[in-house]
Amino acid sequence: MNSGDEAGSGPAISGKRTTIYDIAQTVGTSASAVSAVLNGTWRKRRISQKLADRISAVAVEKGYSINLQASVLRRERSNIIGMIVPKYDNRYFGAIAEQFEEGARKAGYFPVITCTQRDPNLELEAARMLLSYQVECLIVTGATDPDRISDLCHAAGVKVVNLDLPGSKAHSVISDNHQGALELTRVLLSVRSAQTGRDECLYFVGGRTNDHNTSERVRGFLQAHSERGMTVPAANVLACGYAAQKAYDSLSALGHVPKGIFVNSTISLEGAVRWLTDLPAQDRQDILYCCFDWDPFAALMPNCVGMAQQDVPALLERVFAWVATGKTSTTVELVPCRLRLQQP
Amino acid sequence: MNSGDEAGSGPAISGKRTTIYDIAQTVGTSASAVSAVLNGTWRKRRISQKLADRISAVAVEKGYSINLQASVLRRERSNIIGMIVPKYDNRYFGAIAEQFEEGARKAGYFPVITCTQRDPNLELEAARMLLSYQVECLIVTGATDPDRISDLCHAAGVKVVNLDLPGSKAHSVISDNHQGALELTRVLLSVRSAQTGRDECLYFVGGRTNDHNTSERVRGFLQAHSERGMTVPAANVLACGYAAQKAYDSLSALGHVPKGIFVNSTISLEGAVRWLTDLPAQDRQDILYCCFDWDPFAALMPNCVGMAQQDVPALLERVFAWVATGKTSTTVELVPCRLRLQQP
DNA sequence: CTCTGTTGCTGCATCGATTGAGCAAGCATG
DNA sequence: CATGCTTGCTCAATCGATGCAGCAACAGAG
């Protein structure tokens, strides 16, 4: 049962990790030589091939792994890049997290992501933690209060970039929510009017109006209507928050069945689709919706006209490009969304 | 534009972080006192309230944040717990990542998650990295080769737990794939036979047969058939890998339209559903499927009979309970799945 | 006035890796 | 044989936080 081998010069005895000093001792050399060999600077430091080989062999044999806490402490750079995301469990943030890691590794960083559940206190706490781990740069995604985090980072002399939601105290890379919403609304309006033969105002469901992204999307939504000479009644905009249940409740509370719905996020869409499937079949037939954000299953639902997919690769490409420049100005970069329409 | 204030005793000048020595100097005390005050051990170390207050005030004023690299180096414990996940961008792993972080924080750990794209080399590399950051414990989720990672961890004296996929060299917490697949298949078989009046073998799509989870699910799938006296032809099991496109291709390649499909994961389901929506409407009508793993949108698709949802909270609860015991034996814990059936 | 005990602090070694400075040995050149 | 150069290594300080050992000052007991 117990596989720990106590004897011999094998791998570290439980609890004690091998250090460069251990290796130096068994090889009969100095810790500096071991360090130089193991971090690749040995040629420059004129260590002989022979010694290098002996050291490498012993390191492998002992299962050595560097203590990066010690290494980072000594060097000026930590090579750690941090990210704060509100949630992992939807496709948008899942993709952001995944591609952030990929990009970070490609740029030579070690990525550390922390999920903050849209809780402002947890956001601050997480940012502080990441700073304590000496991140060189922090990417703040969808934070409720990005500016306070920017302040923290500035105090520590750490680069910050806002992603997805803009802030006023750091560079921001965000989707062009207005453009995406405008185009998406145009599509839904024209499909519906082709179907019914007349123009009818759509409903907007989900999000919060004081949130930048939602207000930009509402602006696009309204503009698409006014392009057709329509004025949307205020009651058609149900900015009820992001939770799925809220969307379900506010659609149910309407008292009638809206025929065209702009859903503000896949999270709200979960509620909207649930509401839809709970309707009697004949009501369900001619309801159409579109949704800001993309999900592969939601995109294939029969009532879905199209989705606006935020261009995650482009967003992250912009973020890493910004990080590489080392600039510190406070600007906002807009990245266009991709429209993904249902094949008829 | 430039908000950096160079003068005064304010927050750190860009590039230089405040340390306990800086604070000690401005307060006119020793670094030990500052350390004791800032890490909460000052009462025990008999620092006066007055000095403690002065130190705290200066620390806040200077925007001090502890250097955890230095702290961890000195102490015996790092408080870091690591996790390796193959992907973030589906609901199952998204939920695992999110709840892992929550559980880790509750247990007093700092969670670090790394995503390895189902790439065995990246898995090893990531494990090595996490060990270098002195993780106290590593949770290995869905790794292609968990045992090699276990070896690495044992060599470093670090606890390991396998999650989702079992390994032979560490404790494993996994879903009861056989039970879940058995029950799910029973449901689909009975719904289909109620519909058509006769028993018909289902198709199994997705996964790899040499993968533990897939083979257990196939076993459940076959057993549900044999309970009804049916023998499934080998050709009905399309273990074509996990990628969505593979599922699409192997369903298209069949040459006929199977009427009942057991889909092995939501990733494969993306392909299956795409295949479904590409079919002519009359073919699509009476196809039913079920799927192992849960997705809120997929669950609401009209042809979906039910999904097996892995009990993520229970899985992680078991993982953390195991970590807390500190035991090292090699056992497998099975956690039952929840069946989520389509409301008729 | 000495002895013991308490309060409130400081000094210093330590964790493991890194790196500039430096040293001994070997060799070639004048 | 003195000088300079190269090769191949070692020494020791350093990064920032921690915590043990210890010390000065003072109070109270005898």
Side-chain angles (χ1 to χ4, degrees):
Chain A
M1 271 286 159
N2 192 337
S3 64
D5 198 323
E6 223 60 7
S9 57
I13 301 93
S14 141
K16 231 27 203 143
R17 259 126 126 143
T18 317
T19 71
I20 54 169
Y21 296 93
D22 302 333
I23 296 176
Q25 191 154 45
T26 67
V27 172
T29 182
S30 70
S32 346
V34 175
S35 171
V37 169
L38 297 179
N39 69 26
T41 59
W42 59 282
R43 288 235 99 100
K44 198 169 59 191
R45 308 202 90 230
R46 295 185 313 211
I47 305 292
S48 66
Q49 182 78 52
K50 219 178 76 184
L51 181 57
D53 291 346
R54 287 229 314 290
I55 289 173
S56 306
V58 172
V60 169
E61 183 198 326
K62 296 213 170 208
Y64 172 80
S65 90
I66 192 177
N67 183 332
L68 278 173
Q69 315 282 6
S71 177
V72 165
L73 174 60
R74 184 66 230 282
R75 290 174 315 176
E76 74 291 10
R77 296 199 49 192
S78 72
N79 271 357
I80 305 177
I81 186 166
M83 174 177 257
I84 288 180
V85 287
K87 302 282 288 173
Y88 285 121
D89 75 346
N90 68 67
R91 303 300 282 238
Y92 174 52
F93 289 118
I96 285 188
E98 210 169 296
Q99 293 179 42
F100 167 70
E101 285 203 6
E102 197 188 323
R105 266 190 268 266
K106 216 173 284 167
Y109 288 106
F110 181 76
V112 175
I113 307 180
T114 279
C115 166
T116 53
Q117 307 282 358
R118 295 193 192 282
D119 171 344
N121 293 323
L122 199 49
E123 282 169 11
L124 260 304
E125 199 45 53
R128 256 189 277 267
M129 262 302 199
L130 290 171
L131 289 177
S132 292
Y133 278 109
Q134 310 301 106
V135 292
E136 288 182 16
C137 179
L138 188 57
I139 315 299
V140 178
T141 310
T144 49
D145 190 356
D147 286 352
R148 289 195 53 198
I149 298 179
S150 299
D151 286 341
L152 272 181
C153 290
H154 291 144
V158 166
K159 239 178 293 180
V160 220
V161 183
N162 296 313
L163 178 59
D164 179 61
L165 267 183
S168 67
K169 298 188 166 184
H171 186 67
S172 304
V173 176
I174 63 174
S175 287
D176 191 339
N177 291 289
H178 172 257
Q179 159 263 338
L182 175 62
E183 294 179 11
L184 197 54
T185 310
R186 278 181 186 150
V187 169
L188 183 49
L189 279 172
S190 79
V191 171
R192 274 224 62 83
S193 94
Q195 210 174 47
T196 62
R198 57 198 183 80
D199 275 354
E200 226 177 333
C201 283
L202 308 175
Y203 278 75
F204 184 103
V205 176
R208 297 187 205 90
T209 38
N210 58 342
D211 150 341
H212 173 273
N213 291 355
T214 297
S215 69
E216 281 298 286
R217 292 173 196 172
V218 168
R219 196 162 67 83
F221 174 80
L222 298 178
Q223 184 177 329
H225 282 81
S226 68
E227 282 174 356
R228 290 177 157 255
M230 306 160 74
T231 309
V232 181
N236 278 33
V237 177
L238 313 172
C240 52
Y242 281 107
Q245 191 58 44
K246 298 266 182 68
Y248 184 97
D249 292 344
S250 41
L251 283 167
S252 308
L254 276 180
H256 65 283
V257 177
K259 299 297 185 181
I261 310 177
F262 180 113
V263 187
N264 191 21
S265 73
T266 49
I267 298 166
S268 302
L269 186 59
E270 281 184 44
V273 170
R274 200 139 37 78
W275 166 80
L276 198 67
T277 52
D278 285 355
L279 287 176
Q282 73 271 27
D283 282 349
R284 211 186 305 158
Q285 289 300 342
D286 57 335
I287 298 177
L288 292 179
Y289 66 82
C290 61
C291 177
F292 207 103
D293 278 346
W294 182 80
D295 179 283
F297 296 110
L300 295 170
M301 305 281 282
N303 310 70
C304 180
V305 164
M307 308 190 91
Q309 183 175 30
Q310 304 194 51
D311 191 345
V312 174
L315 287 166
L316 283 165
E317 198 263 313
R318 299 313 306 140
V319 166
F320 283 110
W322 184 263
V323 169
T325 66
K327 288 198 225 160
T328 57
S329 70
T330 299
T331 36
V332 176
E333 270 183 279
L334 285 183
V335 173
C337 298
R338 285 181 58 198
L339 226 55
R340 306 210 28 183
L341 303 182
Q342 179 82 279
Q343 322 292 6
Chain B
M1 269 289 157
N2 192 339
S3 64
D5 198 325
E6 223 59 7
S9 58
I13 301 94
S14 142
K16 224 41 198 131
R17 259 125 125 145
T18 318
T19 71
I20 53 169
Y21 296 93
D22 301 333
I23 295 176
Q25 192 154 43
T26 68
V27 172
T29 182
S30 70
S32 345
V34 176
S35 172
V37 169
L38 296 178
N39 69 25
T41 58
W42 60 283
R43 286 235 100 100
K44 197 169 62 194
R45 315 203 74 230
R46 297 187 311 212
I47 305 291
S48 65
Q49 181 78 53
K50 219 179 76 185
L51 180 58
D53 290 346
R54 286 227 315 289
I55 289 173
S56 305
V58 172
V60 169
E61 182 199 327
K62 297 212 171 209
Y64 172 81
S65 90
I66 193 178
N67 183 331
L68 278 172
Q69 316 281 7
S71 178
V72 165
L73 174 60
R74 185 65 229 283
R75 289 173 316 174
E76 73 291 10
R77 298 199 47 192
S78 73
N79 270 358
I80 305 177
I81 187 165
M83 174 176 256
I84 287 179
V85 287
K87 302 283 288 173
Y88 286 122
D89 75 346
N90 68 66
R91 303 299 283 239
Y92 174 53
F93 289 119
I96 284 187
E98 210 169 297
Q99 292 179 43
F100 168 70
E101 285 204 7
E102 197 189 324
R105 267 191 267 266
K106 216 174 283 168
Y109 288 107
F110 181 76
V112 175
I113 307 180
T114 279
C115 167
T116 53
Q117 308 281 0
R118 296 194 191 283
D119 171 344
N121 292 325
L122 199 48
E123 282 169 12
L124 259 305
E125 199 43 53
R128 256 190 276 267
M129 262 301 200
L130 290 170
L131 289 177
S132 292
Y133 279 108
Q134 311 300 108
V135 292
E136 288 182 16
C137 179
L138 189 57
I139 315 299
V140 179
T141 310
T144 48
D145 191 355
D147 285 352
R148 288 196 50 199
I149 298 178
S150 299
D151 285 341
L152 272 182
C153 290
H154 291 145
V158 167
K159 240 177 293 179
V160 219
V161 183
N162 295 312
L163 178 59
D164 178 63
L165 267 182
S168 67
K169 298 188 166 184
H171 186 67
S172 304
V173 176
I174 63 173
S175 288
D176 190 338
N177 291 289
H178 172 256
Q179 159 263 340
L182 175 62
E183 294 179 11
L184 196 55
T185 311
R186 279 179 187 152
V187 169
L188 182 50
L189 279 173
S190 78
V191 170
R192 274 224 62 84
S193 95
Q195 210 174 44
T196 62
R198 57 198 185 79
D199 274 353
E200 224 178 333
C201 283
L202 308 174
Y203 278 75
F204 183 104
V205 176
R208 297 188 205 90
T209 38
N210 57 343
D211 150 342
H212 173 273
N213 291 354
T214 298
S215 69
E216 281 299 285
R217 293 173 196 172
V218 168
R219 196 163 66 83
F221 174 81
L222 298 178
Q223 184 178 327
H225 281 82
S226 68
E227 282 174 356
R228 290 175 158 256
M230 305 159 75
T231 308
V232 182
N236 280 31
V237 177
L238 313 172
C240 52
Y242 282 107
Q245 191 58 43
K246 299 267 182 69
Y248 184 97
D249 293 343
S250 40
L251 281 167
S252 308
L254 276 180
H256 65 283
V257 176
K259 300 297 187 182
I261 310 174
F262 181 111
V263 186
N264 191 21
S265 73
T266 50
I267 298 166
S268 302
L269 185 60
E270 282 184 43
V273 169
R274 200 141 37 78
W275 165 81
L276 199 65
T277 52
D278 285 354
L279 286 177
Q282 73 271 27
D283 280 350
R284 211 187 304 159
Q285 288 301 341
D286 58 332
I287 298 177
L288 293 179
Y289 66 82
C290 61
C291 177
F292 207 103
D293 278 344
W294 181 80
D295 178 283
F297 296 109
L300 294 170
M301 305 281 281
N303 310 70
C304 179
V305 164
M307 308 191 90
Q309 182 176 31
Q310 304 195 51
D311 191 345
V312 174
L315 287 165
L316 283 165
E317 197 264 314
R318 300 311 308 140
V319 167
F320 282 110
W322 183 262
V323 168
T325 67
K327 288 197 223 160
T328 58
S329 70
T330 300
T331 36
V332 175
E333 271 184 278
L334 285 184
V335 173
C337 298
R338 286 180 59 197
L339 226 58
R340 304 209 28 182
L341 304 182
Q342 179 84 278
Q343 322 293 5

